[in-house]
């Protein structure tokens, strides 16, 4: 066959893909539960092999605390302050939590005969996510534990009735409760939190948490979550994947190679889904941005 240059070969490949797309439905392109979903068009998420990528910036505890303190939570009716509420809070329950909730709960090794009715869910760096209330309403969930710097602001945004006061556990860490939802206000790495919650949770919903942890702290973060859970536990993990050189973060890019490096010693790793988010891609002015959803099962 005749040889063609790289540019010609690329054009031919694009023409072939465009011709194929009209015949392929999303269900065909999404090869089973491990397939890649991309807004209806199947494509592989990017890898980051660029050695010239600059180092990630590092953010302090004070940085995130100042961001919380500078914001006014919206009123219960979405009134004043709603426009300033941080954009990492979705206006609805996260659809991929709902989609993969059954997969997260299935297959847990029972710790006793009532295991199905005794599952506690940990949500690290939860913010004021509506996922907290949704989780608390699911059958078989006996408790939801959130950890964040937002404190009582979380309860206001979730329309939960806050308790008359809060429990100051020690300097830098307090706790508030509403029904089966309890929130620790303070640093996720506070040593008192590890003592209080060690080995208590069965499930973890990690959305927007790992991807804002400084790279130097990620191994300690993985070890911390492992210590806060029972021996047989599962994590539903969301990561972001995009060209690192074009967006320093946060959120940070955490690709499949990094997930394997961080978790493979302690967990079996299963990619459930990858989704190209066009809205966030435009928000960050990136050529592509994917969300990956992993099911991590403790070994």
């Amino acid at each position: 066959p005749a040889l063609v240059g790289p540019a010609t070969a690329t054009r031919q490949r694009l023409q072939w893909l465009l011709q194929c797309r009209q015949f392929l439905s999303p269900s065909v392109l999404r090869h089973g539960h491990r397939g890649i979903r991309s807004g209806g068009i199947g494509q592989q998420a990017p890898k980051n092999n660029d050695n010239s990528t600059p180092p990630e910036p590092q953010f302090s505890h004070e940085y995130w605390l100042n961001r919380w303190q500078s914001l006014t939570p919206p009123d219960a009716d979405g009134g004043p302050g709603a426009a300033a509420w941080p954009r990492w809070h979705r206006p609805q329950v996260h659809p991929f939590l709902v989609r993969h909730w059954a997969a997260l709960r299935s297959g847990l090794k029972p710790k006793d005969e009532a295991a199905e009715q005794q599952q506690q869910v940990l949500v690290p760096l939860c913010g004021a996510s509506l996922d907290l209330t949704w989780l608390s309403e699911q059958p078989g969930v006996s408790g939801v534990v959130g950890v964040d710097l937002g404190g009582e602001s979380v309860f206001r945004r979730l329309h939960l009735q806050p308790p008359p006061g809060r429990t100051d556990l020690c300097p830098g860490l307090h706790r508030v409760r509403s029904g089966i939802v309890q929130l620790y206000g303070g640093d996720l790495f506070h040593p008192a939190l590890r003592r209080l919650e060690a080995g208590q949770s069965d499930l973890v919903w990690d959305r927007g948490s790992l991807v804002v942890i400084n790279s130097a702290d990620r191994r300690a973060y993985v070890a911390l979550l492992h210590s806060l859970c029972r021996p047989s536990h599962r994590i539903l993990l969301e990561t972001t994947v995009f060209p690192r050189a074009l967006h320093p973060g946060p959120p940070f890019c955490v690709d499949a190679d990094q997930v394997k490096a961080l978790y493979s010693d302690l967990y079996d790793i299963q990619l459930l889904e990858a989704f190209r988010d066009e809205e966030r891609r435009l928000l960050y002015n990136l050529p592509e941005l994917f969300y990956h959803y992993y099911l991590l099962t403790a070994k």
Side-chain angles (χ1 to χ4, degrees), residues 267-282:
Y267 297 90
D268 292 323
I269 303 170
Q270 180 185 3
L271 175 64
L272 295 176
E273 189 164 2
F275 174 74
R276 182 177 180 180
D277 192 316
E278 187 68 11
E279 179 181 348
R280 296 286 169 144
R281 182 191 73 79
L282 294 172

Side-chain angles (χ1 to χ4, degrees), residues 139-155:
V141 172
S142 59
V144 179
V145 177
V147 185
D148 207 277
L149 297 173
E152 293 89 340
S153 299
V154 172
F155 281 86

Side-chain angles (χ1 to χ4, degrees), residues 4-290:
V4 297
T8 301
T10 299
R11 284 196 299 272
Q12 292 175 347
R13 178 172 174 77
L14 287 174
Q15 290 171 354
W16 179 81
L17 288 171
L18 289 172
Q19 291 171 356
C20 291
R21 273 179 52 186
Q22 61 182 313
F23 301 107
L24 298 178
S25 67
S27 61
V28 173
L29 289 165
R30 187 180 173 225
H31 303 286
H33 73 279
R34 293 180 60 85
I36 302 300
R37 181 174 181 179
S38 171
I41 301 172
Q43 54 185 285
Q44 180 66 41
K47 282 195 173 184
N48 290 276
N49 297 319
D50 184 5
N51 294 327
S52 64
T53 301
E56 293 176 345
Q58 306 293 291
F59 293 89
S60 67
H61 174 275
E62 289 71 24
Y63 166 83
W64 293 109
L65 184 61
N66 289 336
R67 288 203 63 178
W68 269 109
Q69 293 176 341
S70 65
L71 295 167
T72 302
D75 295 333
D77 60 359
W85 199 239
R87 66 188 179 194
W88 65 73
H89 288 136
R90 291 175 174 264
Q92 70 280 324
V93 176
H94 200 296
F96 288 92
L97 169 61
V98 177
R99 185 198 302 273
H100 297 302
W101 173 243
L104 177 63
R105 290 198 68 216
S106 66
L108 279 178
K109 298 176 183 177
K111 54 183 176 290
D112 54 47
E113 294 181 357
E116 288 296 318
Q117 287 74 41
Q118 299 291 324
Q119 292 178 351
Q120 177 172 291
V121 186
L122 173 65
V123 187
L125 301 189
C126 60
S129 170
L130 300 177
D131 301 347
L132 296 175
T133 49
W134 184 87
L135 287 167
S136 71
E137 295 165 353
Q138 300 313 299
V141 172
S142 59
V144 179
V145 177
V147 185
D148 207 277
L149 297 173
E152 293 89 340
S153 299
V154 172
F155 281 86
R156 185 177 178 187
R157 198 254 181 171
L158 297 178
H159 306 167
L160 294 172
Q161 181 62 42
R166 69 182 196 178
T167 303
D168 290 310
L169 302 168
C170 58
L173 187 69
H174 67 272
R175 181 171 58 200
V176 287
R177 295 176 182 269
S178 180
I180 65 170
V181 179
Q182 62 175 324
L183 173 74
Y184 287 94
D187 189 345
L188 179 64
F189 290 96
H190 198 296
L193 177 64
R194 187 191 293 264
R195 293 195 302 269
L196 290 166
E197 289 294 325
Q200 296 300 305
S201 291
D202 303 279
L203 307 171
V204 180
W205 167 224
D206 185 329
R207 181 262 162 181
S209 185
L210 174 67
V211 295
V212 300
I213 297 293
N214 292 332
S215 57
D217 298 325
R218 286 177 196 154
R219 288 195 178 277
Y221 169 81
V222 171
L224 172 64
L225 293 194
H226 193 272
S227 73
L228 297 180
C229 293
R230 302 182 193 275
S232 61
H233 65 275
R234 284 186 161 193
I235 299 174
L236 180 58
L237 170 67
E238 176 193 82
T239 66
T240 49
V241 182
F242 51 80
R244 287 195 191 92
L246 301 181
H247 178 65
F252 301 121
C253 173
V254 181
D255 62 22
D257 291 338
Q258 291 175 292
V259 170
K260 181 178 179 181
L262 288 169
Y263 290 97
S264 60
D265 288 344
L266 297 172
Y267 297 90
D268 292 323
I269 303 170
Q270 180 185 3
L271 175 64
L272 295 176
E273 189 164 2
F275 174 74
R276 182 177 180 180
D277 192 316
E278 187 68 11
E279 179 181 348
R280 296 286 169 144
R281 182 191 73 79
L282 294 172
L283 177 65
Y284 294 116
N285 193 28
L286 292 168
E288 51 193 357
L289 184 148
F290 285 79

